[in-house]
Amino acid sequence: MELLKQRIRQDGIVKGNDVLKVDSFLNHQMDIALFEEIGKEFQRRFANCGVNKILTIEASGIGIACITAQFFHCPVIFAKKTQTKNIDGEVFATQVESFTHGRIYQVIVSKKFLGPQDKVLIVDDFLANGAALEGLIDIVAQSGAQLAGAGIVIEKAFQPGGDRLRAQGVRVESLARVKAMSEENGVEFAD
Ligand code: 5GP
């Protein structure tokens, strides 16, 4: 998506070798006009897939998922991060290793909101090693819902998550794929 790539080139800040900061337009201050274009593009790519639920993970996926849902006319569910060890039977739960914080946490979704009648599009801001996406896919599988695929705003294609999940048969659609990046040379896109 050219508009997004331009914005990343203009306002993205590379930290070290593997962190891209986009907090001026994507995940702290949010550019809603850009989110609308992102939502429309996800809708174009997953049109006619019968999506009736969008699933994301708190916190930075929520804004993108909400704007996207306006184009699918469906609800958004966000997986909640929780410290609680004793989870009762009312939730689907899975473990996720955080890319940005390096620790493992549990995420949960209430059983009330996802089930075999649902066709789910997962939406998230970044795809890196794939842990967040795998956790969400696990929750969809536990619920018996069908997975339409995953809409990712920025995939760091030099990290293994995207290739691994595609090899497992998951439809992953990324709007910007970063092939390489460095503090010196900025961001290079894959296509
Ligand atoms: P993964 O689980 O695929 O390793 O990482 C995906 C999650 O980590 C995303 O939900 C995102 O919040 C965060 N993340 C991964 N890489 C980056 C990055 O380069 N920049 C930012 N801002 N977040 C990232």
Side-chain angles (χ1 to χ4, degrees), residues 18-20 27 60 99-100 124-132 156:
D18 61 359
V19 174
L20 178 60
N27 50 26
S60 46
F99 176 82
T100 33
D124 205 5
D125 59 344
F126 274 92
L127 173 58
N129 293 324
K156 291 184 291 176

